[in-house]
Amino acid sequence: MSIISGGVAGYYSANAASLYGQKTSASSGLEALSATLTNASATATSASSSTVSLSSAGQQSNALSNYYAQFFPVRSGMSADALVRSVISPGATSSSQGKTLPEVATDARSRLDANYATMKASGTAYDPNSQDNVDNISLMGNLDRRSLYAVSANVDGLFTDQEQSVAGSLMKQQLSLAMGEFVGPAGSEAEFVDPFAGDETARNLAGAKFLSAVSSDEKSSAQWSQAKAPIETALRSAALKEQVAKPLPNLFDMLSSSNKERGSDSSETGFPSLQNIQSTNSSLLARA
């Protein structure tokens, strides 16, 4: 069973409490970061009587959006709101909402062309090698993740090799940030916080959660399978280590218990019979 396609909660569900407890929750780290950012924002604006009242969930969402925005710098007057939103909610739709995949591709083509034109009109044309990736982010800043996928997959052959590469790179950046791994302008690295504090199981659970929430179009791609493979491997390894870490029952305790159940299986001297030892060894090997 796939950890990701089957859902994070569905994998090793019987051992979830021990392996994926509070410390390694896929969302607890992000929630803690969100709460910290929200509290900081509330403290900074508490003196202002014009502050708009938002729900706790709304405040946390805004705090996270503001936090992740620094890793997607754009040109003045342009936006990366859709890219930022997809870090927090990869299944959220804006540019692709209500559209078939071919329609998503057509819409994305139109948006890219408009953004090229906006940059050219500013007096400085699009530069794919701009500092801090600003022009690439500005170019695709209003594409939600499903639209990014359409570009990266070159749906209907509407996109250049460079555009496909940029879209794919931004998709990887979104996943990395969601997993608590820094990807962004060098100048913003000091502001980055790993919400999982180095907990690799929590990090991979967050990655699994992220990939499980993307569009069905993306999930049908080889690109998606390649992204989830190392995450699944890591989670399976963590689960196996958890099982191996559990102490095996003492051999003589097992033999004693077995003798009590079987009664006549032990030898007259009280020592286990050869048949009993072989049976117990097989049981131990099976558990290992």
Side-chain angles (χ1 to χ4, degrees), residues 85-276:
R85 182 60 186 164
S86 290
V87 175
I88 306 165
S89 182
T93 57
S94 52
S95 56
S96 70
Q97 188 171 15
K99 299 179 179 69
T100 64
L101 190 58
E103 289 171 341
V104 172
T106 299
D107 174 81
R109 178 70 270 162
S110 177
R111 290 172 185 269
L112 295 184
D113 290 342
N115 287 337
Y116 281 127
T118 295
M119 286 186 269
K120 185 175 181 179
S122 73
T124 306
Y126 164 76
D127 176 7
N129 301 308
S130 61
Q131 185 175 1
D132 293 334
N133 209 33
V134 166
D135 280 9
N136 287 326
I137 295 170
S138 299
L139 176 66
M140 303 199 180
N142 56 359
L143 301 184
D144 63 26
R145 186 162 178 102
R146 186 169 175 237
S147 292
L148 273 183
Y149 167 70
V151 176
S152 71
N154 195 24
V155 174
D156 286 348
L158 297 178
F159 308 99
T160 66
D161 289 345
Q162 180 176 289
E163 289 167 344
Q164 294 171 53
S165 177
V166 169
S169 178
L170 289 171
M171 292 172 72
K172 289 178 181 177
Q173 180 180 4
Q174 290 170 339
L175 174 59
S176 293
L177 289 172
M179 292 178 68
E181 298 171 335
F182 174 74
V183 178
S188 65
E189 187 169 6
E191 304 302 319
F192 180 75
V193 177
D194 175 5
F196 308 112
D199 188 327
E200 294 305 313
T201 299
R203 190 184 313 287
N204 283 296
L205 279 170
K209 182 179 180 181
F210 181 96
L211 290 176
S212 70
V214 302
S215 69
S216 58
D217 300 302
E218 183 178 343
K219 287 179 181 178
S220 67
S221 69
Q223 175 179 326
W224 185 80
S225 296
Q226 291 167 0
K228 78 183 179 73
I231 293 173
E232 285 200 328
T233 298
L235 290 177
R236 288 181 187 278
S237 176
L240 288 172
K241 286 180 181 177
E242 174 72 12
Q243 292 302 307
V244 171
K246 294 180 179 178
L248 290 171
N250 181 279
L251 173 61
F252 288 97
D253 288 343
M254 288 184 68
L255 291 172
S256 175
S257 175
S258 178
N259 288 338
K260 288 178 182 178
E261 292 176 2
R262 299 184 183 186
S264 61
D265 283 350
S266 61
S267 67
E268 293 181 359
T269 62
F271 289 101
S273 66
L274 178 59
Q275 179 184 359
N276 202 339

Side-chain angles (χ1 to χ4, degrees), residues 3-48:
I3 297 171
I4 297 175
S5 60
V8 176
Y11 187 67
Y12 283 110
S13 58
N15 300 311
S18 61
L19 179 59
Y20 307 139
Q22 282 286 61
K23 181 182 177 184
T24 56
S25 166
S27 58
S28 61
L30 197 58
E31 289 170 354
L33 173 60
S34 176
T36 299
L37 293 170
T38 300
N39 291 337
S41 176
T43 300
T45 59
S46 60
S48 174

